[in-house]
Structures are given as C-alpha cells and as structure tokens.
Amino acid sequence: MFLLRLWASCSILFSFSKDKVMAEKDDSDLDKTTSIQQAVASCFGAIITSFFVAPLDVVKIRLQAQSNPFSKGKCFVYSNGLMDHICVCENGGSKAWYKKPGHFKGTLDAFVKIIQTEGIKSLWSGLGPTLIMALPTTVIYFTCYDQLSEALKSKLGKDDDYIPVLAGSLSRLGSVTVVSPLELIRTRMQSRQLSYKQLYTCINNEVAKDGWLSLWRGWSSTVLRDVPFSAIYWYNYERFKKMMCKKVGTDESAFFVAFTSGAVSGSIAAVITLPFDVVKTHRQTELWESETLKIPQRNCTSTWAVMKKIVANNGIAGLFAGIGPRLIKVAPACAIMISTYEHGKSFFRHLNEKKNQRP
C-alpha cells in the first residue's frame, strides 16, 4: 500500500510538471536537459566516481584481511564510492582478492606493493559486480531528483528552501525501494553460488512462504540511513552552491563550485547519519551471515534495539565508529559524483542550445 501511494504521488508530480511544460513551452525550456540526458550524465558520474574511490576500499579490506583474516561466511562491507555492499567471504582461499596475503606497513605501502606484485588492475577488484547495482540506483536517484525538483519548483516557487529536502528524500526512497530486491538476490547468488535456475526456485519458495515483502528484507535499515542523508545532503548542497556562486561570481554549473559544495554537504550528511550507517551495517551483516551460515538471526533486530545494544556495549561513541574512513570515502565520492553530473548536464545544455540556434 505504501509503495502504491508513493508511486501515485510521484506520478502526480511528474504529470503536473509535464502539463506545465507543455502549456508554457518557450525557447528557454528547449535549452534544459531531458530526463534521458540526465540519466546519461548520472551514469558517467557513477562510473567515474567508482573508478576513483574503489581502490581506497580495496586497500582497506586487504589491510583488514591481513590483520584479521576472514573466515568462511564472514561478512565485510565493500564500497565502490556510491554504494555499500555486504560481501560474504567464500571458499576462494588465498586466490580471492580480499584474502590475498600481504605484508603491508600502511595504506601507501599497500598501494605500492599491490601495484608492483599484482598489477594496477587489482586495485579495482570487485568493482564490476557492484557497478551493476550502483548504476541503476544512481540513474534513478539523480534523474528523479532533478525531475521532482522541477515539478516542485513550478508548483511551490523556485525560492522554496525545502524543495531539495523533499525531492532528495523521495528520489532516494524510490531508488532504494527499486534496487533493494536486486541487492538481496545478488547477495544470495554470491553467498550460496546459486545458478539462475536455483535462484529462481529459491525466490519462489521464499515468496510463497513469507510473501513478496520478503524480497525487501533489510529495506528499512537502508531507508533510515539513506533518506535522511539525501535530505541533508541536497539541502546543504543547494545552499552552499548559491552562496559560492554569489561570492565567486560564477555559474552554478561550474565544476569547482559543484565539487566543493558536494564535498562539504556530503561530509555534513555523513557525520549526522553515521549512527544509522552503523546500525545498517550491523543488521545487514547479521542477515547475510544467517543466510550464509544458516544460523537463526539474533533477537536484536529492530533499529532502536540495535542502537541500545551498541550503546550498552561501546557507549555513545560506538554509534560513531568508523567516522574517519566514512568521511574519507563519502567526501570525495560526493564531490566527484555531483561535479561530474553537473558538468555532464552543462554539456547537454550547451548541445541543446546549439541545436536550437540552427535555422
């Protein structure tokens, strides 16, 4: 019922925007980017961001594996710069990229030795499977944000400060909802090494037993982190962008403006939502380990119950564990993604202008 209401709300907003554009179409409207152009720009942004940020996580996981080797069924978080994925340590032995032996003294030493002994390609190990998830999520997220923003601006006015909050929250909610079953399916295939036929049978049995909602297991913990993150991120991004444009005296699509605004707003959102990120990791790790090792889940399943457990064991500081590594990944990822996306849209806008100027 909730998904139907969300879909209905988005449909009304999109239809309103479309009618508005058709009714008031002029030359300036033709210079704007289309939804397809926005999708292409976000796709390129996702690839470039993943390319630059993924090596940081590969090195981090290799350092973790060196100090505390992963056992069979052990779960760990892998990030390609845009999304976090719970990965399961399989039987792969020392040949698996996350179990390869190393004698690293630190991060820089790990970079150098991995390139010297295994080749530079090893820094992007595991990137392919995660991009399969990241690309559709990013395309849906950024395209929906721009489309919803335009619809809301035409209805509420361009100066409404809460438009980025609403558009960012709805677009992230939609992208998480669409991709959540795919994430569950990907993890099942990875943990059990199922064929497509076996996977189909497994999903059918689960749906018959627990209903279709079982495909969205882990959805709530993801939403609790990603939706507030998006609301805070877009609100601060739009405000910082306007402030910088006034001070520097440049266009909002300028690469430096978008890059700086993205890094600052991403850092703020990452710090504020870190407790939900810690809870999400705990809950998803328990879920995936129960799937892999076939052991029953622990009783501590709700978000607030997990928070209480973390505070009881580690204090308030436990909710902000890993703040350094998270900022190191989130800040450059947000900066690269949004600046690349804005630059891509600027390219398409100039292309549209040239087409419209032709006789």
Side-chain angles (χ1 to χ4, degrees), residues 218-225 275-280 282-283 299-311 319:
W219 173 86
S220 60
S221 58
T222 305
V223 165
L224 278 173
R225 183 196 69 170
F276 293 111
D277 181 59
V278 173
V279 170
K280 174 182 178 288
H282 272 260
R283 291 189 65 188
N299 296 326
C300 189
T301 56
S302 73
T303 299
W304 304 116
V306 174
M307 278 190 170
K308 288 179 182 178
K309 181 181 177 182
I310 293 171
V311 172
L319 294 175

Side-chain angles (χ1 to χ4, degrees), residues 115-275:
I115 293 172
Q116 287 178 343
T117 59
E118 303 169 26
I120 195 168
K121 288 183 180 179
S122 186
L123 291 175
W124 286 271
S125 300
L127 179 60
T130 52
L131 269 180
I132 294 173
M133 299 295 301
L135 286 178
T137 303
T138 306
V139 168
I140 294 170
Y141 178 38
F142 281 86
T143 305
C144 284
Y145 174 79
D146 274 337
Q147 294 293 319
L148 284 170
S149 293
E150 287 300 317
L152 290 168
K153 284 176 183 178
S154 64
K155 186 175 182 181
L156 303 176
K158 291 186 177 182
D159 296 329
D160 196 318
D161 290 336
Y162 295 100
I163 287 176
V165 176
L166 186 56
S169 299
L170 286 175
S171 57
R172 175 57 78 179
L173 182 63
S175 62
V176 168
T177 303
V178 170
V179 179
S180 188
L182 298 178
E183 171 71 8
L184 185 64
I185 290 170
R186 186 192 68 82
T187 306
R188 288 274 178 89
M189 289 188 72
Q190 183 186 38
S191 62
R192 298 185 189 177
Q193 297 183 333
L194 301 175
S195 65
Y196 287 105
K197 186 176 181 180
Q198 291 172 325
L199 179 66
Y200 178 77
T201 304
C202 178
I203 293 172
N204 266 352
N205 293 337
E206 182 156 337
V207 169
K209 181 182 177 182
D210 300 323
W212 285 101
L213 289 178
S214 61
L215 296 179
W216 278 268
R217 195 172 296 164
W219 173 86
S220 60
S221 58
T222 305
V223 165
L224 278 173
R225 183 196 69 170
D226 289 0
V227 171
F229 181 96
S230 295
I232 297 167
Y233 171 79
W234 286 110
Y235 176 78
N236 286 306
Y237 173 73
E238 298 292 353
R239 287 178 66 86
F240 279 121
K241 188 168 67 170
K242 289 178 181 178
M243 288 169 55
M244 288 191 67
C245 287
K246 288 181 180 178
K247 288 185 177 181
V248 179
T250 185
D251 184 70
E252 287 189 359
S253 61
F255 186 88
F256 172 76
V257 171
F259 188 93
T260 306
S261 301
V264 174
S265 55
S267 299
I268 293 171
V271 172
I272 294 174
T273 59
L274 185 60

